[in-house]
Amino acid sequence: KQLKEGGFSAAELRSAGFHHGLLYLSGYTAEELKSGGYTPRDLFGLLNLSLPDLKQLGFSAAEFKSSGFGGQQLSVLGFSAIEMKSSYNIEELKSFGFSASQLKSAGFSASEMRSVGFYAFELKSAGFEAAVMKSAGYTIEELTVFSPAEMKGAGFSATGLKAAGFSARDLSDAGYDIPQLKEAGYSAEDIQLVGAISEAGEAADFAASIFSAMRGMLKKKMRDETDENSANFQLKNRKF
């Protein structure tokens, strides 16, 4: 205590071999002990200092790790993947429970995530596009979590999508033309069916529009007749 009153810093007393507990009892604050070079391990449990207390003091993930605390503890404490990236690899971060979305925010690539076992649907949910995941090495079968249109945008051929199980109608809706469907190996019947369905859809749309127009005309006629009857009734009342 006298040394503190004499102006000695926690760092100076640490260099002289003083125990952190003695300094704390002598009036040095947890902040002063941290500034003096004492580690999270030194201060943990000191007069009931908890791990959340130490995090609030400003200790980094790297400082916690060098003091012997595990990555799982740090993730529970609320350290982000960004904060822990410099101290742990992607495989370790995945094992601590970080999601593909969190690791993407930390700057990890689709290729790195694939290497540690993330599924295609997890990367899709994280916001990766089909083209990026294709470049990362995901197969066309894995990328069927995307729509045919998205896969077409990623550069997949009609042949590849047919092999992955998509129908001629799926590919037609995605924008592949008839020559591409034929080249992919779809039969004439498959392609003809696509055209028939398309024509049927157009016919149904046309019929629906006609029905809607007729219904509108009928409603207008009924309103006109109602107005005419009302006017005739008023005219007869005036005569009486």
Side-chain angles (χ1 to χ4, degrees):
K1 189 172 183 180
Q2 292 174 328
L3 293 175
K4 177 175 172 53
E5 292 173 349
F8 286 94
S9 69
E12 291 172 315
L13 297 183
R14 178 175 176 275
S15 298
F18 284 89
H19 192 272
H20 51 274
L22 179 60
L23 269 67
Y24 193 81
L25 292 174
S26 299
Y28 287 90
T29 64
E31 289 81 1
E32 288 175 315
L33 295 177
K34 177 182 180 297
S35 298
Y38 289 99
T39 69
R41 178 62 66 186
D42 293 331
L43 302 186
F44 179 57
L46 188 63
L47 292 186
N48 297 321
L49 279 177
S50 65
L51 289 180
D53 293 329
L54 296 179
K55 183 177 185 293
Q56 193 170 356
L57 282 176
F59 282 110
S60 67
E63 289 173 312
F64 272 103
K65 182 183 180 184
S66 64
S67 288
F69 293 100
Q72 191 68 54
Q73 291 175 293
L74 303 191
S75 66
V76 171
L77 275 177
F79 281 101
S80 68
I82 296 173
E83 293 172 306
M84 296 175 64
K85 181 181 180 181
S86 62
S87 302
Y88 297 93
N89 61 43
I90 186 172
E91 186 173 11
E92 292 171 320
L93 292 174
K94 182 176 184 288
S95 73
F96 301 151
F98 287 106
S99 67
S101 180
Q102 290 169 317
L103 295 178
K104 181 177 184 288
S105 296
F108 289 103
S109 68
S111 179
E112 290 173 305
M113 291 194 206
R114 180 178 179 274
S115 71
V116 295
F118 278 103
Y119 292 107
F121 76 86
E122 294 177 289
L123 269 68
K124 180 177 184 290
S125 297
F128 284 101
E129 296 182 350
V132 173
M133 293 172 60
K134 178 186 178 187
S135 298
Y138 284 95
T139 66
I140 190 170
E141 289 77 16
E142 291 173 311
L143 293 180
T144 54
V145 293
F146 290 95
S147 70
E150 290 172 311
M151 297 180 73
K152 181 177 186 292
F156 286 106
S157 67
T159 303
L161 292 185
K162 181 180 186 297
F166 289 103
S167 69
R169 176 65 189 273
D170 292 330
L171 270 65
S172 177
D173 289 344
Y176 291 95
D177 58 28
I178 290 177
Q180 290 173 312
L181 298 181
K182 180 181 178 183
E183 184 180 353
Y186 289 102
S187 67
E189 290 77 14
D190 291 331
I191 297 172
Q192 186 177 15
L193 180 61
V194 169
I197 291 173
S198 178
E199 290 175 3
E202 291 175 2
D205 290 341
F206 179 72
S209 67
I210 294 296
F211 177 76
S212 178
M214 292 179 63
R215 184 171 58 180
M217 292 171 63
L218 180 60
K219 286 183 177 179
K220 184 178 184 304
K221 183 179 180 182
M222 292 175 66
R223 284 197 302 268
D224 292 343
E225 290 177 351
T226 300
D227 292 341
E228 183 179 353
N229 291 336
S230 177
N232 290 336
F233 180 77
Q234 291 176 4
L235 183 60
K236 287 179 181 180
N237 286 340
R238 285 178 186 174
K239 290 180 179 180
F240 288 107

